[in-house]
């Protein structure tokens, strides 16, 4: 998740006195407006729970009214603070941090706590209506949908809720996986656009987990509906003979056999993204990216109009980052950068050969979703490596508190730019190199437009390879 505070607002308080509000954006979209005192309260609570040596430094109080320059300085400092807290696995995953953001989101959108009916889509377009509270968090809503569908508790962890945008052809453009710090009802209604919907979809990548899901009737039906939808929208590559076999199985309502055949097809289980732009193999190439099978698949249209395909394995990505930048406005010098369109980029450093690392950049509004896919692939790989199971990764509520299982604790994001293998050159040494890397099209100005170094994602699944493996 990309946290930023790109702008401030002067607002009137209850007593009429003016105060500065800091607009916290997540993935380039306004999440909440908060006062300095609210963030200070969060900071003090985190210090109380985790200790002063764990929590990042917080911008100091000022006795006198801040000048515009001081407001801007504080905005930058608060942005870096929020990014640092979110990047820390312990602080960023804490109920203190997440409940603060949920409450602030609800207050900002001025949506009272009340019972509502929320519509959640399944992959086949079927609508599931659940009665929830507007203040229910993502896991509450997921549990409500699972209950409505009679999905067993031990299978709920195989599915997630995603925010999508419905396209004209009925397909879905994935915006992001809904997170623990947001309220799904508030997130979707605050966009004020009926094209944005919430959809239930499987949240794992390894198709061997399909066996677990297919053990139960509801799990089988959900997986079948998703597979049929992916084929209909061209996400899974099917030739005429395979299509004939699939249609035959559909007519017989042989759902397991249908899925078994689909598992053998190219791009089964992949998420397909909207057309975007990459700098590989050369700058300005149009590309369709798909994520799945522990890789990013590129179908690139070269300037010569030639189409080339290739894949980047997640185990060869040394690290990656998402960067946002705001194009320079041609308007008045005082215009707010927060009103401009934000450009998002995902850049990853890839081991092209034994001794050659190269940065590859994707410019796409779905860059955040791409990053989420990479992280979840790494998490899943690490669970399997540690002998765990994603069946245990679902968090259960105990006396109102969320509890992570041991297997999920094991897949927290690795220390940034730090290699888990002492035999390799520590990734921290990359920091000096990174300053000289020019990510094409990325702004190098103030933190309002650029993500700090703390937004690098180190990769524990990174593997050293030899030329004979390429």
């Amino acid at each position: 998740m990309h946290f930023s505070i790109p702008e401030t607002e002067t607002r009137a308080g209850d007593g009429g006195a003016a105060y500065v509000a800091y607009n916290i954006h997540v993935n380039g979209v306004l999440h909440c407006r908060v006062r300095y005192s609210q963030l200070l309260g969060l900071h003090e609570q985190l210090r109380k729970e985790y200790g002063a040596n764990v929590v990042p430094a917080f911008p100091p109080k000022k006795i006198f009214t801040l000048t515009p320059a001081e407001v801007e300085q504080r905005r930058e400092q608060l942005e870096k603070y929020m990014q640092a807290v979110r990047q820390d696995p312990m602080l960023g995953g804490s109920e203190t941090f997440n409940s603060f953001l949920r409450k602030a989101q609800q207050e900002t959108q001025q949506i009272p706590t009340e019972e509502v009916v929320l519509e959640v889509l399944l992959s086949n377009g079927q609508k599931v209506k659940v009665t929830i509270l507007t203040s229910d968090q993502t896991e509450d809503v997921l549990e409500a949908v699972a209950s409505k569908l009679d999905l067993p508790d031990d299978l709920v962890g195989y599915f997630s809720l995603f925010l999508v945008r419905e396209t004209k052809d009925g397909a879905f453009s994935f915006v992001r996986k809904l997170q623990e710090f947001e309220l799904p009802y508030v997130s979707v209604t605050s966009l004020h656009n009926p094209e944005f919907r919430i959809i239930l979809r499987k949240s794992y990548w390894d198709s061997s987990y399909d066996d677990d899901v297919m053990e139960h009737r509801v799990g089988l039906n959900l997986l079948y509906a998703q597979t049929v939808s992916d084929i209909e929208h061209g996400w899974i590559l099917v030739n005429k003979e395979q299509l004939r076999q699939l249609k035959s199985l559909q007519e017989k309502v042989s759902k397991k056999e249908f899925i078994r055949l689909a598992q053998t097809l190219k791009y089964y289980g992949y998420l397909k993204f909207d057309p975007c732009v990459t700098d590989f193999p050369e700058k300005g190439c149009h590309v369709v990216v798909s994520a799945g099978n522990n890789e990013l698949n590129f179908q690139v249209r070269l300037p010569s109009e030639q189409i080339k395909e290739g894949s980047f394995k997640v185990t060869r990505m040394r690290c990656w980052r998402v960067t946002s930048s705001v194009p320079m406005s041609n308007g008045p010098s005082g215009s707010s950068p927060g009103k401009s369109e934000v450009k998002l980029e995902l850049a990853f450093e890839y081991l092209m050969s034994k001794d050659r690392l190269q940065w590859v950049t994707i410019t796409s509004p779905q860059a955040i979703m791409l990053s989420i896919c990479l992280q979840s692939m790494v998490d899943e790989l690490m669970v399997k490596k540690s002998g765990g199971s994603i069946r245990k990764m679902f968090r259960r509520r105990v006396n109102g508190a969320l509890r992570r299982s041991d297997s999920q604790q094991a897949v927290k994001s690795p220390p940034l730019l730090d290699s888990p293998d002492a035999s390799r050159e520590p990734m921290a040494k990359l920091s000096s190199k990174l300053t000289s890397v020019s990510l094409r099209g990325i702004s190098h100005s103030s933190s309002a437009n650029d993500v700090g170094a703390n937004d690098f994602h180190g990769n524990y699944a990174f593997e050293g390879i030899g030329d004979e493996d390429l």
Side-chain angles (χ1 to χ4, degrees):
M1 291 293 102
H2 170 40
F3 279 67
S4 63
I5 305 179
E7 58 192 352
T8 61
E9 292 182 28
T10 301
R11 302 178 70 87
D14 294 336
Y19 69 90
V20 175
Y22 296 86
N23 294 349
I24 298 178
H25 287 229
V26 180
N27 304 347
V29 176
L30 176 68
H31 180 81
C32 59
R33 297 185 187 92
V34 293
R35 302 175 70 154
Y36 171 84
S37 59
Q38 290 176 282
L39 290 173
L40 177 60
L42 168 65
H43 172 70
E44 291 173 345
Q45 185 62 32
L46 289 173
R47 279 172 57 99
K48 181 179 177 181
E49 292 183 21
Y50 298 99
N53 60 327
V54 174
V55 182
F58 192 79
K61 291 182 180 179
K62 300 282 187 179
I63 298 176
F64 302 105
T65 302
L66 271 62
T67 65
E70 289 173 326
V71 169
E72 173 61 15
Q73 182 185 44
R74 176 175 281 183
R75 181 199 62 75
E76 292 183 4
Q77 292 171 337
L78 289 174
E79 179 178 76
K80 290 177 181 177
Y81 174 83
M82 290 297 291
Q83 290 172 351
V85 170
R86 176 59 186 172
Q87 279 286 12
D88 185 282
M90 182 168 56
L91 301 178
S94 69
E95 182 61 12
T96 298
F97 181 69
N98 290 320
S99 62
F100 172 85
L101 289 171
R102 291 193 296 265
K103 183 180 178 182
Q105 182 190 27
Q106 187 176 7
E107 290 176 349
T108 298
Q109 300 300 334
Q110 298 181 326
I111 295 178
T113 298
E114 59 186 0
E115 201 172 77
V116 293
V117 174
L118 178 66
E119 196 173 80
V120 176
L121 297 181
L122 303 183
S123 296
N124 60 0
Q126 180 183 339
K127 299 172 183 176
V128 180
K129 294 184 178 181
V130 291
T131 301
I132 61 167
L133 293 176
T134 53
S135 57
D136 279 345
Q137 63 193 75
T138 300
E139 191 164 346
D140 295 328
V141 178
L142 178 60
E143 289 179 2
V145 174
S147 178
K148 190 72 175 281
L149 295 170
D150 290 326
L151 184 67
D153 285 349
D154 63 345
L155 292 184
V156 178
Y158 290 92
F159 294 88
S160 292
L161 297 174
F162 295 85
L163 180 67
V164 298
R165 188 166 191 168
E166 196 166 7
T167 59
K168 293 179 180 179
D169 61 357
F172 299 109
S173 173
F174 281 74
V175 179
R176 70 175 185 273
K177 177 181 173 181
L178 293 180
Q179 302 292 316
E180 65 274 18
F181 57 75
E182 61 185 315
L183 309 176
Y185 177 83
V186 177
S187 292
V188 71
T189 56
S190 64
L191 293 170
H192 305 293
N193 188 335
E195 292 178 357
F196 288 97
R197 313 293 292 272
I198 294 175
I199 192 171
L200 180 73
R201 186 180 172 91
K202 74 176 186 180
S203 58
Y204 58 89
W205 301 100
D206 190 336
S207 61
S208 66
Y209 291 121
D210 288 348
D211 292 340
D212 295 341
V213 176
M214 291 192 291
E215 287 176 2
H216 190 272
R217 173 184 55 84
V218 177
L220 173 61
N221 288 338
L222 289 172
L223 188 57
Y224 174 73
Q226 178 176 314
T227 306
V228 171
S229 174
D230 287 356
I231 291 172
E232 289 177 346
H233 291 117
W235 286 20
I236 298 174
L237 203 60
V238 184
N239 62 35
K240 288 184 179 180
E241 174 57 25
Q242 291 164 339
L243 187 59
R244 185 193 65 77
Q245 294 177 42
L246 289 168
K247 286 184 176 179
S248 175
L249 291 171
Q250 267 187 294
E251 291 170 359
K252 297 175 184 177
V253 198
S254 301
K255 297 180 180 179
K256 280 190 178 181
E257 290 75 10
F258 183 95
I259 293 170
R260 295 292 185 208
L261 176 56
Q263 287 173 335
T264 67
L265 304 179
K266 193 170 184 179
Y267 305 133
Y268 173 80
Y270 282 63
L271 270 181
K272 191 173 183 179
F273 292 83
D274 300 337
C276 54
V277 177
T278 181
D279 62 355
F280 185 89
E282 52 186 293
K283 189 175 180 180
C285 289
H286 292 272
V287 62
V288 173
V289 181
S290 298
N293 194 29
N294 299 319
E295 68 181 19
L296 292 183
N297 176 271
F298 277 33
Q299 295 183 46
V300 182
R301 182 183 295 276
L302 301 176
S304 63
E305 295 301 310
Q306 182 182 5
I307 302 294
K308 286 197 172 183
E309 181 180 351
S311 293
F312 296 92
K313 295 290 184 182
V314 69
T315 49
R316 299 185 190 181
M317 295 179 188
R318 197 170 195 188
C319 59
W320 71 87
R321 73 177 292 179
V322 173
T323 308
S324 66
S325 60
V326 180
M328 294 300 293
S329 171
N330 293 325
S333 59
S335 61
S336 171
K339 306 303 179 185
S340 302
E341 184 178 350
V342 175
K343 181 171 69 171
L344 291 172
E345 293 185 333
L346 171 78
F348 56 89
E349 192 178 34
Y350 195 75
L351 191 62
M352 296 291 183
S353 61
K354 187 175 181 180
D355 300 312
R356 185 168 71 92
L357 286 162
Q358 179 177 335
W359 282 96
V360 177
T361 302
I362 303 167
T363 303
S364 168
Q366 295 175 292
I368 301 292
M369 186 65 195
L370 280 163
S371 178
I372 291 172
C373 289
L374 290 177
Q375 186 61 59
S376 60
M377 287 179 192
V378 170
D379 288 350
E380 198 170 297
L381 283 170
M382 297 308 296
V383 166
K384 295 200 77 171
K385 188 175 181 180
S386 66
S389 168
I390 66 168
R391 183 187 288 270
K392 301 176 184 177
M393 287 177 67
F394 183 55
R395 295 171 294 169
R396 302 302 304 170
R397 194 170 276 96
V398 180
N399 297 327
L402 293 178
R403 182 185 65 190
R404 291 181 185 269
S405 68
D406 291 340
S407 63
Q408 193 171 17
Q409 288 282 5
V411 299
K412 287 178 178 177
S413 297
L416 299 173
L417 297 178
D418 185 20
S419 169
D421 186 350
S423 67
R424 291 203 306 268
E425 177 187 6
M427 290 181 67
K429 292 183 180 179
L430 280 174
S431 58
S432 59
K433 175 183 176 182
L434 293 174
T435 58
S436 64
V437 173
S438 176
L439 301 183
R440 298 152 184 79
I442 293 178
S443 167
H444 294 279
S445 57
S446 71
S447 62
N449 297 338
D450 196 10
V451 183
N454 282 342
D455 281 299
F456 276 93
H457 296 266
N459 181 6
Y460 264 163
F462 177 79
E463 298 171 352
I465 56 174
D467 290 320
E468 65 276 4
D469 298 318
L470 299 175

